[in-house]
């Protein structure tokens, strides 16, 4: 038997490695023709690496007489492989990185025409939608820091770089790219947003379609409907999702920071305007190189404040509370605090009506056609809420950008196109402040505090269903806690009908230490699309997708596994929630049990004496990589400082630890 197995193994190896193979392998080749344009000074002064780089360039086919052209690095999050027709040879993780190689190619061609020497490098990214409810989500937020770190290493590993272009689209790859481009500081840099996918003519958007499991389980849809909707949700093969989630909000913020050209956020992937955006961005970066502008000139405390205002006006994803501070930190600028966010959200009206929070569920491409970021900024300028003296990668100040936009042919044509093609008034997508007030659009984000969140929490208050607000416009919910320490248990309870109207779902131990601060969209989306869901509140030390809706309170701090009070809540405890979308104020308190009601103050004392939930522990599938990330970002200030790696704080903490050991 052993001999037979060995004989079979030889046959398999022969078939695999010998049959139909050719062995005429060349051992030498002529090498590139011509010679490098070297000078005596270059040979005497340049490092050997710079000289060898020229050999590498001609070895890849670059013409030797052009090897001294200005090197420009194009970084992207490209994923998957397509043939010359665009058909898939190997799939990417998501549509957001599937087509952006076309943007890289278009930009590279323009750089060549402009006399530069383009390089391309790729650091792909995962899909938060694909990993919802799976252990893959434990790598989602930590990925951002790691990807940005690798991108920055790639930038520095091209020593003669003169400028950097970043091309990215989605939830973590785009914030990572923004951090990387922000880090170049003394060099010119630019960000090219990867665009958005189209909504199916007869289908559900990519947010709603993620709830087909929960809706089918509750008898809301048929198997046939689920199969059809799941098939056609992504109506075009490229771009980020069709709603104002984290991907779309990050594009908006990139443009608002001045890092991306005007009117490039949310452009539909694959369109002519989308390809022209890459060409125009290459031209703009070449201009920055010529005039000596750098990212330090663009990314300032004032431009970061502008981006926060635009975020509030769009009603953007709460995940940017993690990403924008991280960008500021990487750029060496002042990191926004919770008080800064609270102030901005009280001052800036929400003006944009798109998915997921409406009031009319327009896809994000409508926001682009209605004028996008420049249109919103026109309104904010009139309100005196922007610093228009800041510089942008367009080579002009923001004030000059808005002066151009107000009377531009581009503005007139895209807004007219929305009316004629889709029958939608642009002013019904991007409201004036007066119309927004009449429509009842509230503050984007509220930061409730209380004995369950002594260091704060976050709720996208504009996402609360208006029908559950009291007559004075305030959300008040008091109900029994339904406590979970595993997301899988929580979604199972929703699907089997164990969650009822009036309940308060508490998901604890799912912050950075427990899961890498997982995104719990499968819970919030299920509640949104089930009839009773708007009467259920959810609080967690994890975070939510940018498309989440409802009374969902996340980022509860301290997290449960760090001893936070959320980890001490028990089934049946009464939780009291008050959110005022008009003022941005809110509270989140444990107020006893049905048998023993307590004041919030007395509830604080009870929680201090209680032990943590014994079922709460780091997820058994939590990777060591994520545990390391959780520790490093915690020392660096945690999620409220952007979940970054603050090297000075980390080194100081290590020093203290080493001295104690000694």
């Amino acid at each position: 038997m052993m001999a037979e197995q060995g004989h079979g193994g030889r046959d398999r190896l022969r078939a695999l490695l010998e049959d139909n193979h050719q062995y005429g392998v060349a051992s030498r080749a002529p090498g590139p023709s011509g010679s490098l344009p070297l000078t005596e000074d270059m040979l005497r002064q340049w490092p050997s690496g710079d000289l060898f780089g020229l050999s590498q360039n001609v070895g890849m086919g670059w013409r030797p007489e052009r090897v001294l052209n200005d090197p420009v690095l194009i970084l992207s999050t490209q994923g998957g492989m397509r043939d010359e027709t665009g058909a898939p040879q190997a799939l990417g993780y998501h549509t957001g990185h599937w087509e952006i190689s076309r943007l890289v190619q278009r930009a590279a061609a323009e750089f060549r025409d402009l006399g530069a020497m383009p390089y391309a490098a790729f650091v792909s990214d995962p899909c938060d939608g694909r990993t919802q409810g799976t252990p893959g989500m434990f790598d989602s937020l930590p990925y951002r820091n790691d990807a940005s770190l690798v991108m920055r290493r790639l930038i520095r590993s091209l020593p003669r770089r003169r400028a950097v272009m970043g091309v990215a689209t989605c939830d973590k790859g785009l914030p990572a790219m923004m951090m990387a481009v922000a880090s170049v500081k003394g060099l010119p840099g630019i960000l090219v947003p990867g665009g958005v996918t189209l909504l199916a003519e007869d289908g559900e958007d990519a947010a709603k379609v993620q709830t087909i499991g929960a809706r089918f389980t509750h008898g809301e849809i048929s198997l046939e409907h689920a199969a059809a909707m799941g098939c056609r949700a992504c109506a075009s093969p490229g771009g980020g999702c069709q709603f104002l989630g984290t991907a779309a909000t990050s594009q908006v913020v990139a443009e608002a920071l001045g890092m991306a050209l005007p009117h490039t956020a949310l452009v539909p992937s694959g369109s002519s305007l989308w390809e022209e955006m890459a060409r125009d961005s290459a031209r703009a970066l070449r201009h920055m190189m010529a005039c000596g502008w750098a990212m330090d000139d663009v990314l300032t405390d004032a431009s970061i404040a502008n981006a926060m205002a635009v975020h509030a006006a769009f009603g953007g994803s709460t995940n940017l509370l993690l990403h924008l501070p991280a960008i500021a930190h990487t750029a060496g600028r002042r990191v926004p605090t919770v008080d800064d966010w609270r102030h901005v959200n009280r001052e800036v009206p929400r003006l944009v009506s798109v998915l997921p929070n409406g009031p009319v569920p327009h896809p994000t491409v409508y926001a682009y056609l209605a004028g996008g970021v420049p249109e919103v900024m026109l309104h904010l300028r009139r309100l005196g809420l922007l610093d228009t003296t800041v510089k942008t990668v367009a080579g002009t100040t923001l004030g000059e950008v808005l002066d151009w936009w107000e009377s531009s042919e581009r503005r007139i044509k895209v807004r007219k196109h929305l009316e004629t093609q889709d029958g939608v008034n642009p002013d019904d997508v991007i409201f004036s402040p007066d119309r927004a007030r009449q429509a009842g659009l509230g503050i984007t984000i509220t930061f409730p505090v209380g004995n369950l969140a002594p260091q704060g929490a976050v709720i996208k208050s504009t996402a609360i269903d208006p029908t559950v607000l009291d007559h004075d416009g305030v959300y008040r919910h008091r109900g029994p806690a339904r406590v979970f320490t595993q997301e899988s248990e929580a979604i199972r309870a929703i699907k089997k009908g164990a969650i009822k109207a009036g309940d308060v779902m508490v998901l604890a131990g799912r912050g950075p230490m427990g899961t890498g601060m997982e995104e719990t969209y499968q819970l919030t989306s299920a509640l949104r699309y089930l009839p009773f869901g708007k009467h259920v509140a959810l609080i967690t030390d994890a975070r939510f997708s940018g498309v989440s809706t409802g009374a969902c309170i996340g980022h509860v701090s301290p997290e449960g596994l760090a001893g936070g009070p959320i980890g001490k809540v028990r089934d049946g405890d009464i939780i009291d929630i008050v959110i005022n979308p008009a003022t941005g104020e809110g509270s989140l308190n444990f107020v006893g049990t049905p048998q023993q009601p307590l004041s919030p103050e007395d509830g604080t004392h009870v929680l201090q004496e209680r032990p943590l939930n014994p079922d709460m522990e780091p997820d058994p599938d939590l990777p060591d990589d994520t545990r390391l990330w959780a520790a490093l970002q915690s020392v660096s200030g945690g999620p409220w400082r952007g979940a970054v790696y603050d090297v000075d704080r980390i080194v100081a903490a290590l020093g203290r630890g080493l001295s104690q050991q000694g």
Side-chain angles (χ1 to χ4, degrees):
M1 178 67 70
M2 293 284 291
E4 290 178 5
Q5 288 177 343
H7 182 70
R10 287 194 297 272
D11 289 344
R12 284 193 294 274
L13 288 170
R14 186 179 299 114
L16 179 66
L17 297 173
E18 292 185 7
D19 292 352
N20 302 314
H21 283 63
Q22 302 295 320
Y23 298 101
V25 178
S27 58
R28 290 178 181 271
S33 60
S35 61
L36 297 177
L38 298 176
T39 65
E40 288 187 8
D41 184 65
M42 291 167 63
L43 290 172
R44 294 180 190 276
Q45 301 297 329
W46 280 26
S48 64
D50 287 345
L51 294 169
F52 182 60
L54 304 182
S55 300
Q56 291 282 303
N57 293 345
V58 296
M60 289 182 281
W62 195 256
R63 288 163 48 186
E65 65 270 21
R66 299 179 64 184
V67 294
L68 298 183
N69 290 8
D70 289 336
V72 176
L73 175 59
I74 309 172
L75 272 174
S76 84
T77 55
Q78 168 65 28
M81 294 179 64
R82 306 157 73 238
D83 65 19
E84 62 277 1
T85 70
Q89 290 184 314
L91 292 172
Y93 284 32
H94 53 90
T95 61
H97 64 209
W98 176 243
E99 284 191 327
I100 59 175
S101 61
R102 292 171 55 187
L103 296 176
V104 174
Q105 290 170 338
R106 187 68 186 86
E110 189 65 23
F111 282 130
R112 290 195 301 271
D113 290 345
L114 295 172
M117 182 166 51
Y119 294 75
F122 309 90
V123 182
S124 197
D125 55 349
C127 174
D128 279 2
R130 188 180 291 274
T131 59
Q132 290 294 337
T134 77
M137 180 51 67
F138 302 163
D139 289 293
S140 170
L141 184 55
Y143 163 88
R144 183 207 65 184
N145 284 8
D146 295 345
S148 181
L149 185 152
V150 171
M151 291 170 181
R152 297 195 299 273
R153 290 193 187 279
L154 284 171
I155 292 170
R156 295 190 297 268
S157 297
L158 190 66
R160 296 191 64 79
R161 66 200 178 278
R162 287 286 312 282
V164 178
M165 170 183 282
V167 187
T169 303
C170 283
D171 289 28
K172 299 304 176 299
L174 180 49
M177 187 68 74
M178 293 161 74
M179 292 166 67
V181 175
S183 76
V184 302
K185 297 180 181 176
L187 289 176
I190 198 167
L191 195 287
V192 181
V196 297
T197 190
L198 298 180
L199 193 66
E201 293 176 352
D202 181 23
E204 297 177 351
D205 66 86
K208 186 174 183 178
V209 80
Q210 293 183 54
T211 68
I212 53 178
R215 285 184 288 149
F216 174 77
T217 302
H218 278 265
E220 297 292 319
I221 58 173
S222 67
L223 173 61
E224 293 74 19
H225 180 85
M229 294 300 101
C231 183
R232 65 175 68 114
C234 299
S236 57
C241 295
Q242 309 105 330
F243 47 80
L244 195 69
T246 307
T249 305
S250 296
Q251 295 186 40
V252 165
V253 165
E255 186 179 329
L257 282 167
M259 295 178 70
L261 285 181
H263 201 231
T264 54
L266 313 180
V267 59
S269 178
S271 66
S272 59
L273 281 171
W274 178 76
E275 292 223 11
E276 290 164 4
M277 168 182 65
R279 177 202 65 194
D280 298 343
S281 297
R283 293 175 178 175
L285 189 58
R286 201 73 173 106
H287 176 74
M288 289 181 71
M289 295 166 67
C291 68
W293 282 20
M295 286 312 298
D296 267 349
D297 298 307
V298 173
L299 284 180
T300 63
D301 291 346
S303 67
I304 291 166
N306 285 346
M308 294 171 70
V310 173
H311 173 273
F314 265 83
S317 163
T318 57
N319 276 322
L320 270 293
L321 273 68
L322 293 162
H323 301 320
L324 191 52
I327 295 163
H329 171 79
T330 310
R333 300 305 185 190
R334 179 180 175 274
V335 175
T337 66
V338 174
D339 287 340
D340 295 327
W341 285 106
R342 185 179 288 114
H343 173 75
V344 167
N345 278 270
R346 286 174 175 169
E347 294 294 317
V348 178
R350 183 167 72 99
L351 303 177
V352 180
S353 178
V354 292
L355 287 163
N357 302 130
V360 178
H362 297 303
T364 44
V365 68
Y366 284 13
Y368 175 78
L369 292 172
V373 174
E375 193 70 20
V376 170
M377 290 184 114
L378 277 182
H379 291 299
L380 297 183
R381 179 169 72 167
R382 293 172 189 138
L383 293 173
L385 295 172
L386 295 176
D387 184 335
T388 58
T389 67
V390 297
K391 295 179 178 179
T392 74
V393 294
T396 66
T397 66
L398 176 59
E400 291 170 316
V401 167
L402 298 181
D403 288 343
W404 158 77
W405 176 256
E406 194 161 22
S407 58
S408 69
E409 179 184 24
R410 186 183 183 106
R411 181 191 185 209
I412 294 168
K413 286 191 172 181
V414 294
R415 285 167 60 85
K416 184 65 176 177
H417 184 68
L418 179 60
E419 285 191 284
T420 56
Q421 174 181 267
D422 298 286
V424 174
N425 182 345
D427 293 332
D428 290 336
V429 180
I430 297 177
F431 292 173
S432 68
D434 287 342
R435 291 194 64 192
R437 193 161 37 249
Q438 293 166 8
L441 272 64
I443 285 174
T444 293
I445 297 174
T446 295
F447 300 89
V449 294
N451 63 28
L452 288 178
Q455 294 178 6
V458 174
I459 180 171
K460 195 172 183 180
S461 46
T462 191
I464 301 174
D465 191 307
T467 64
V468 299
L469 301 180
D470 287 346
H471 67 280
D472 57 356
V474 176
Y475 174 79
R476 298 179 177 88
H477 186 107
R478 180 176 289 214
R482 298 289 178 255
V483 178
F484 303 92
T485 59
Q486 298 286 328
E487 186 189 14
S488 57
E489 298 170 352
I491 191 64
R492 193 178 302 118
I494 292 174
K495 287 185 174 181
K496 72 179 185 181
I499 301 300
K500 308 295 184 185
D503 287 346
V504 178
M505 296 184 70
V506 178
L507 181 62
R510 311 308 280 180
M513 295 171 63
T515 65
M517 203 175 187
E518 67 181 354
E519 189 175 87
T520 58
Y521 177 62
Q522 67 166 340
L523 302 180
T524 61
S525 60
L527 292 174
R528 179 188 182 186
Y529 290 106
L530 294 174
F532 65 89
K534 66 183 180 180
H535 300 292
V536 175
L538 173 63
I539 64 173
T540 181
D541 48 9
R543 60 193 175 90
F544 302 126
S545 163
V547 73
S548 291
T549 55
C552 308
I553 302 175
H555 299 227
V556 172
S557 185
E559 62 177 304
L561 284 169
I566 188 174
K568 300 180 179 183
V569 178
R570 301 292 188 267
D571 264 351
D573 284 349
I574 301 301
I575 308 299
D576 185 71
I577 303 170
V578 179
I579 304 294
N580 189 334
T583 65
E585 297 173 341
S587 60
L588 176 63
N589 287 298
F590 158 71
V591 289
T593 65
Q595 297 76 26
Q596 186 180 10
L598 298 171
S599 68
E601 293 75 20
D602 290 337
T604 300
H605 298 308
V606 171
L607 289 173
Q608 288 172 346
E609 298 300 320
R610 273 189 184 178
L612 290 173
N613 188 327
D615 295 331
M616 191 175 59
E617 60 182 6
D619 195 283
D621 292 325
L622 190 68
D624 285 346
D625 301 327
T626 300
R627 291 178 57 212
L628 177 61
W629 166 86
L632 294 176
Q633 65 85 38
S634 178
V635 171
S636 302
W640 293 112
R641 292 193 76 251
V644 296
Y645 298 152
D646 187 319
V647 176
D648 290 340
R649 291 190 178 201
I650 293 168
V651 169
L654 288 173
R656 289 192 297 271
L658 290 172
S659 65
Q660 290 173 3
Q661 287 181 2

